Amino acid sequence: MLSVTSGFYFLQQVNDGQLKPIIGAIVLLMISLNVIRDRLGERLTRFYQIPYFLQ
């Protein structure tokens, strides 16, 4: 609930011109992470099966 309230007040202070680059960066980051995950595929799955991550 705190994050929704703080987001509401933050978005009231930011105008459209300031928010467009932030949204664009978030979209590019999500696409990049998806491409990396697709290319690494099986290696990434094996990496997360290391006992350190299973605790």
Side-chain angles (χ1 to χ4, degrees):
M1 189 65 181
L2 179 63
S3 61
V4 172
T5 306
S6 61
F8 172 76
Y9 287 112
F10 172 75
L11 289 175
Q12 284 185 333
Q13 304 300 319
V14 178
N15 66 27
D16 190 42
Q18 294 171 322
L19 202 55
K20 282 183 181 183
I22 295 171
I23 293 172
I26 291 171
V27 168
L28 287 176
L29 177 65
M30 291 173 65
I31 291 171
S32 301
L33 290 174
N34 193 35
V35 168
I36 290 170
R37 193 181 75 181
D38 287 345
R39 290 192 182 203
L40 290 179
E42 183 64 30
R43 288 183 285 175
L44 191 60
T45 302
R46 280 186 274 142
F47 178 74
Y48 284 116
Q49 290 177 351
I50 296 173
Y52 175 77
F53 290 104
L54 299 177
Q55 295 179 1

